[in-house]
Amino acid sequence: MIKFILRRLLLTIPTFLALTLVTFVAIRLVPGDPVEVRAGEHGISPERLAMLRHEMGLDQPVIVQYFQYLWQLAHGNFGTSLRTSGPVATEFFSLFPATLELAFCAMMFAILLGIPAGVLAAVRRGNVLDHGVMGISVIGYSMPIFWWGLLLIMFFSEWLNLTPISGRIDPIKFYFDTPTGFMLFDAWWSGQEGAVWDAAQHLILPTIVLGTVPLAVIARITRSSMLEVLSEDYVRTARAKGMSPLRVVGLHALRNALIPVVTSIGLAIGSLLAGAVLTETIFSWPGIGTWLIESINERDYPSLQGGIMLISSFVIVINLLVDVLYGAINPRLRHGR
Amino acid sequence: MKSFIQTGAVALFAAALLASTAAGAKTLVYCSEGSPENFTPALNTTGTSFDAARPVFDQLTEFKPGTTETEPGLAQSWDVSPDGLTFTFHLRKGVKFHGGVNGFKPTRDFNADDVLFSFNRQWKDDNPYHKISGGKFDYFSDMDMPASLDSVTKTDDYTVVMKLKSPNAPILANLAMDFMSIQSAEYADFLLKAGKPEQFDQIPVGTGPFSFVAYQKDAVIRFKAFPEYWRGKAKIDDLVYAITPDPTVRLAKIEKNECQIMIAPRPADLAELGKNADINLLHAPGLNIAYWAFNTTKPPLDKLEVRQALIQAVDKPTIIKEVYQGAGQAAKNLIPPIMWGYNDDVTDYAYDPAKAKELLAKSGITLPLEIDLWWMPVQRPYNPNAKRIAELMQSDLAKVGVNATLKSYEWGEYRKRMQAGESMTGQLGWTGDNGDPDNFFFLFGCNAEKKPASQNLAKYCDDAFNADLVKARGLSDQAERAKIYKEMQVIMHNDALMMTIAHSVVYEPIRKSVEGYKISPLGSHYFYNVDLK
């Protein structure tokens, strides 16, 4: 097992190197540099442009800038934001918990609804339930996030008055420190009455919006994988032995059917974070989404590079964990067979 | 005993909670658009950042709410020497800085040291704060402060003398701008000694109507009314900026009274907002101009008849109707009508294709005439859709025998190439900084024509126009200056160096419960006078 983890860890090194190169180059391929973007209609004199570019280190050859960046990274330094002059890592970690909280809730929503829906569809294959679940999942998968979010706000917040429109907590009723950045926890920690419930209400719509696509994916994969497993000999044997259908499906089939589902969850983390960018914009959710968009608009190279590196590290770590978990469910892999 | 202490603690806590949400505490929530870069306006360039710091700070001179006129702020009065070169400011006494923010307790009132610090931080390399937080003082440089200032000194704690290199009346309006906000020199020292000077720009201390409480990036900024504010405590107790980037969501929030004032509604939502019985839809002309400039150095645009023909060939009313859709008014001058010095006697060129053809024939050029027509790739406050405007122009021009090739580049590249004089004709615009007409007319002065990065896209340098520009800058009497600016508008009209397209109209929805709020022509948001019913 340890050998397996070590091997996977070593494999991440080239991934990281490739990533630094891709982010570094891609951002610079976008026309316009940070100084000029800032200048606006006022324009900027060539002398001032040269001076500011020099201060930002943008006058160096790109290859030199790249190696300087790698050198910084190797020392755990993610650079300083050109926009706010704050350290990139500090800014990132002050915002990331909000994204993480939302992504976690969305994932839980997708898993807790998606797996049972997929199992049900597989067990009742070909019947109305199956067609219903699969139909809804196609719609869910192709739902444009922006439109879906606004639709839910209009329906639940404006018409039914059930959920708050945006943000993480009611800023008038509640005011407390957020030491961890995880609002549910901070609200509980603050001891203010009703704060946890308020924070939870604020989470409902963004969770649904962000969780919809993974929910559809998980439901579909669970269904197809379940169908495959249900036709296996050992399931037939279990049934022939007179085992209750619930035990057959729940115990024997599901555990094996879950293997591809777990993989897909690991892969979904990446798209979940991408979806978070849009979801956060709609719901004024103070995570890394808005921050990244602003960094792109302002050509804030260090923030973008650092942000993408940190997110990617997170995705890589999650996938590593998934692989380990996978090994636990599927002993064939663990033993290298 | 233990339970007694516990009960006591709970009671105390409940009392504190009650006090903080005491009945009658008035909280105004403003749905803003984005997060500030930091809380020192001198370091920033965006309206969002200026708005975020504005409740905290005052300036030496200030804009009267809802106007572009300046009035005394932290400077109670000032004298100007007859040659217009020396300004002596008499500072207000007894003005307090916010106490208790970030552990800082002011030991003295506002005085001349704070003024000197606020100038020198931006101006002098040797100021210990000059390089803190990136040290890019764009506005100080854009408003030509280093080139204008000769010295700023104090004669005593409440008198500051500012000497200029050349007469510059608009500088009083510059001093009212956000970048000239007065910060506390004592707070700066306090943080320097504590070894954390970078906090100076993150946790602001000023003399303004509200003191800073907390900021959570992309979520919320909190302020509370400063009881010792020199104009008297604000009528509201707490001010909250709810950062809400999406305009549709801002609209939903104001409709549900989750905020009481919102910035920048979508034009498509204006009709719905107008019908809402709980909301007042305020509107005001924007302090800006969108124009289509002709490069007068490129033949045949050096010919006056050709330029006049191009203007008259284009159907401006249709552009206003189709592209601006109610959020713009046709412009006949460079400056908007809300600005002092506006010349309403200028008659705009009418849409007249027959006259355009006639002028083209008179100019002696061969038709069809080939020109380029540049359009900006981005939306600007003064121009919602430059591409659509260019297309409308293109079809109008074709009717008089002018073939316009549409062209565009990435926004930074676009400005750079146009400012270098690469285009024949192209769209751009300007948003006023300080409400002074000079801040518009300088764009087309001879000085700007020489500068490689200036907005003088017409590459225009007219002796009479330029002499007026310099003369008006040297006068301190506003009526006299206004007279000169009126003349300059006539010169610009006659020389036809551009087609002035439109001034935008700015909309701001507020709940009917909000009283005393005035929409600012400068695009800033100011909540001191606001009350809640």
Side-chain angles (χ1 to χ4, degrees):
Chain A
M1 193 67 184
I2 292 171
K3 226 169 123 187
F4 167 73
I5 296 176
L6 274 179
R7 201 173 58 218
R8 295 282 295 126
L9 270 177
L10 277 177
L11 273 174
T12 60
I13 295 174
T15 316
F16 268 118
L17 274 177
L19 209 77
T20 57
L21 191 67
V22 170
T23 51
F24 189 87
V25 173
I27 295 161
R28 277 162 183 78
L29 284 180
V30 181
D33 83 8
V35 184
E36 281 172 15
V37 165
R38 221 181 133 83
E41 273 86 350
H42 276 282
I44 186 162
S45 68
E47 302 83 50
R48 193 167 159 79
L49 181 72
M51 184 191 94
L52 291 180
R53 287 180 59 90
H54 175 71
E55 278 177 10
M56 294 180 184
L58 298 171
D59 55 342
Q60 309 249 30
V62 176
I63 189 85
V64 175
Q65 289 183 45
Y66 178 65
F67 281 105
Q68 280 174 345
Y69 168 58
L70 279 189
W71 182 251
Q72 274 184 358
L73 268 188
H75 291 78
N77 178 358
F78 286 89
T80 310
S81 160
L82 298 181
R83 222 167 72 79
T84 63
S85 308
V88 170
T90 314
E91 289 194 358
F92 180 87
F93 286 113
S94 73
L95 297 168
F96 195 52
T99 303
L100 213 54
E101 185 176 48
L102 175 57
F104 179 78
C105 291
M107 210 39 168
M108 282 298 124
F109 168 77
I111 292 172
L112 294 180
L113 282 182
I115 293 179
V119 171
L120 270 181
V123 174
R124 296 269 175 269
R125 183 184 185 182
N127 117 357
V128 185
L129 194 71
D130 181 23
H131 290 308
V133 168
M134 285 307 100
I136 292 173
S137 88
V138 169
I139 296 173
Y141 188 72
S142 35
M143 192 76 84
I145 285 187
F146 221 89
W147 182 80
W148 182 220
L150 291 177
L151 198 75
L152 287 182
I153 290 180
M154 269 162 72
F155 190 71
F156 287 103
S157 308
E158 291 202 76
W159 287 358
L160 299 180
N161 225 349
L162 285 176
T163 51
I165 294 166
S166 73
R168 297 180 82 190
I169 194 129
D170 184 331
I172 300 183
K173 279 193 216 141
F174 303 103
Y175 172 46
F176 44 80
D177 272 342
T178 50
T180 65
F182 295 96
M183 192 54 90
L184 283 175
F185 179 84
D186 291 337
W188 168 75
W189 186 250
S190 77
Q192 293 193 15
E193 201 182 324
V196 176
W197 175 231
D198 191 74
Q201 278 184 313
H202 277 84
L203 260 167
I204 295 172
L205 292 189
T207 296
I208 296 176
V209 169
L210 187 57
T212 300
V213 172
L215 166 64
V217 173
I218 289 174
R220 293 187 77 83
I221 293 180
T222 309
R223 175 183 177 271
S224 61
S225 153
M226 196 72 188
L227 281 177
E228 212 171 283
V229 173
L230 284 178
S231 62
E232 294 276 341
D233 285 346
Y234 67 89
V235 174
R236 208 175 306 150
T237 312
R239 277 196 176 128
K241 283 199 312 196
M243 213 178 238
S244 78
L246 197 67
R247 266 180 85 86
V248 174
V249 173
L251 199 75
H252 289 249
L254 186 59
R255 187 165 173 206
N256 286 298
L258 274 185
I259 293 166
V261 178
V262 170
T263 317
S264 80
I265 292 174
L267 292 174
I269 299 289
S271 56
L272 204 62
L273 290 173
V277 172
L278 276 179
T279 313
E280 287 177 2
T281 311
I282 305 168
F283 291 98
S284 316
W285 196 264
I288 47 163
T290 326
W291 179 72
L292 280 177
I293 289 181
E294 274 169 18
S295 303
I296 294 173
N297 288 341
E298 301 276 328
R299 311 289 190 277
D300 188 345
Y301 298 155
S303 293
L304 268 175
Q305 283 160 193
I308 293 172
M309 283 310 290
L310 287 164
I311 295 170
S312 312
S313 321
F314 176 75
V315 173
I316 289 172
V317 168
I318 290 288
N319 276 291
L320 188 66
L321 286 179
V322 168
D323 282 352
V324 173
L325 190 68
Y326 197 79
I329 313 180
N330 186 357
R332 279 171 294 187
L333 194 98
R334 192 168 50 214
H335 299 304
R337 270 181 262 155
Chain B
M1 184 64 190
K2 195 178 162 199
S3 79
F4 175 73
I5 293 172
Q6 265 180 355
T7 318
V10 169
L12 262 178
F13 179 73
L17 204 70
L18 265 179
S20 66
T21 56
K26 290 180 182 173
T27 304
L28 178 79
V29 184
Y30 162 59
C31 270
S32 66
E33 214 173 359
S35 289
E37 294 157 46
N38 54 56
F39 288 90
T40 292
L43 290 163
N44 301 326
T45 55
T46 62
T48 305
S49 296
F50 293 150
D51 273 343
R54 189 166 302 108
V56 176
F57 293 111
D58 287 311
Q59 296 78 30
L60 286 179
T61 60
E62 291 181 357
F63 293 110
K64 270 188 212 161
T67 75
T68 59
E69 283 163 42
T70 51
E71 62 178 6
L74 290 178
Q76 200 158 19
S77 63
W78 52 86
D79 314 309
V80 188
S81 65
D83 61 3
L85 290 176
T86 307
F87 289 69
T88 308
F89 294 99
H90 307 289
L91 306 184
R92 205 171 284 280
K93 290 180 182 157
V95 174
K96 309 280 180 209
F97 277 104
H98 307 147
V101 178
N102 202 14
F104 169 67
K105 290 194 178 58
T107 62
R108 62 164 177 81
D109 288 352
F110 152 77
N111 68 24
D113 291 331
D114 303 309
V115 177
L116 297 192
F117 171 79
S118 304
F119 271 94
N120 290 341
R121 178 180 184 194
Q122 305 185 62
W123 190 18
K124 305 283 183 194
D125 288 346
D126 60 357
N127 184 287
Y129 274 83
H130 188 67
K131 286 281 167 212
I132 303 288
S133 303
K136 294 184 285 286
F137 303 102
D138 292 296
Y139 260 101
F140 195 74
S141 148
D142 287 342
M143 301 310 289
D144 266 340
M145 296 296 276
S148 314
L149 292 174
D150 185 43
S151 68
V152 180
T153 49
K154 67 169 188 176
T155 47
D156 61 52
D157 272 354
Y158 291 97
T159 313
V160 170
V161 178
M162 176 174 82
K163 288 207 161 93
L164 305 181
K165 288 177 187 154
S166 58
N168 186 352
I171 205 162
L172 281 175
N174 288 358
L175 297 183
M177 288 172 63
D178 294 285
F179 81 93
M180 281 311 302
S181 293
I182 303 300
Q183 297 185 290
S184 163
E186 197 189 4
Y187 180 51
D189 281 344
F190 165 80
L191 288 178
L192 207 56
K193 281 190 194 122
K196 36 188 187 184
E198 68 290 342
Q199 288 191 359
F200 189 71
D201 303 314
Q202 308 299 332
I203 306 172
V205 169
T207 57
F210 297 91
S211 62
F212 175 85
V213 175
Y215 165 51
Q216 281 168 297
K217 192 172 162 49
D218 292 332
V220 67
I221 314 172
R222 291 169 186 283
F223 305 95
K224 65 169 190 274
F226 180 41
E228 295 169 276
Y229 184 51
W230 57 274
R231 282 191 172 106
K233 183 190 162 286
K235 297 181 190 97
I236 51 171
D237 302 292
D238 295 288
L239 174 62
V240 174
Y241 284 28
I243 299 169
T244 315
D246 187 75
T248 314
V249 177
R250 284 201 295 274
L251 172 75
K253 288 185 88 144
I254 197 168
E255 285 182 338
K256 262 190 85 181
N257 201 17
E258 283 187 21
C259 57
Q260 288 79 44
I261 300 179
M262 76 170 265
I263 192 174
R266 290 191 322 145
D269 294 331
L270 292 177
E272 184 189 334
L273 277 163
K275 281 186 231 144
N276 192 318
D278 298 324
I279 289 173
N280 276 331
L281 185 58
L282 305 183
H283 64 93
L287 197 71
N288 56 36
I289 174 78
Y291 57 76
W292 175 37
F294 309 128
N295 186 340
T296 56
T297 60
K298 295 221 165 167
L301 295 169
D302 51 345
K303 289 190 165 70
L304 177 66
E305 293 93 347
V306 176
R307 300 197 298 265
Q308 285 173 334
L310 293 183
I311 296 178
Q312 295 196 268
V314 169
D315 182 2
K316 198 192 291 188
T318 301
I319 291 177
I320 303 295
K321 207 172 102 209
E322 290 221 346
V323 182
Y324 285 86
Q325 297 182 3
Q329 62 179 123
K332 61 180 181 181
N333 287 315
L334 183 68
I335 59 172
I338 37 159
M339 201 175 241
W340 60 268
Y342 182 78
N343 190 344
D344 207 14
D345 295 332
V346 170
T347 314
D348 199 10
Y349 291 100
Y351 169 52
D352 189 347
K355 184 78 197 293
K357 274 188 197 160
E358 195 183 301
L359 283 166
L360 286 173
K362 209 172 115 191
S363 73
I365 57 157
T366 45
L367 291 178
L369 168 64
E370 301 288 335
I371 61 166
D372 59 21
L373 200 176
W374 293 35
W375 53 271
M376 323 65 106
V378 287
Q379 261 193 9
R380 303 302 292 163
Y382 49 79
N383 190 334
N385 191 344
K387 186 179 185 200
R388 182 80 192 112
I389 293 182
E391 287 164 354
L392 290 171
M393 286 176 167
Q394 189 184 36
S395 84
D396 286 342
L397 291 168
K399 290 176 200 153
V400 300
V402 177
N403 293 333
T405 313
L406 303 194
K407 225 171 166 182
S408 194
Y409 291 94
E410 183 277 327
W411 181 220
E413 192 68 17
Y414 180 85
R415 291 189 315 259
K416 199 158 68 181
R417 284 174 185 254
M418 266 191 120
Q419 287 162 347
E422 208 178 288
S423 65
M424 283 176 86
T425 81
Q427 294 179 59
L428 202 67
W430 182 254
T431 301
D433 297 303
N434 60 9
D436 194 289
D438 181 79
N439 182 241
F440 278 75
F441 290 114
F442 86 98
L443 296 168
F444 295 94
C446 290
N447 229 348
E449 188 257 332
K450 282 182 219 117
K451 270 196 205 161
S454 90
Q455 262 231 7
N456 193 336
L457 307 180
K459 301 291 150 197
Y460 175 74
C461 172
D462 179 76
D463 292 337
F465 183 88
N466 200 59
D468 276 352
L469 183 71
V470 176
K471 191 172 156 204
R473 201 175 281 169
L475 296 171
S476 47
D477 183 75
Q478 201 180 85
E480 270 182 75
R481 292 183 64 206
K483 223 163 80 190
I484 299 176
Y485 290 127
K486 284 183 180 173
E487 272 172 41
M488 291 165 75
Q489 285 160 74
V490 175
I491 301 176
M492 273 190 98
H493 171 84
N494 291 342
D495 284 351
L497 50 139
M498 60 171 63
M499 178 174 132
T500 48
I501 303 171
H503 311 291
S504 75
V505 175
V506 180
Y507 287 89
E508 266 178 41
I510 65 169
R511 299 282 305 181
K512 290 227 164 113
S513 55
V514 176
E515 283 176 343
Y517 179 76
K518 282 194 179 131
I519 189 165
S520 156
L522 292 149
S524 43
H525 294 81
Y526 189 69
F527 304 107
Y528 171 63
N529 297 312
V530 174
D531 200 358
L532 285 171
K533 266 193 292 200

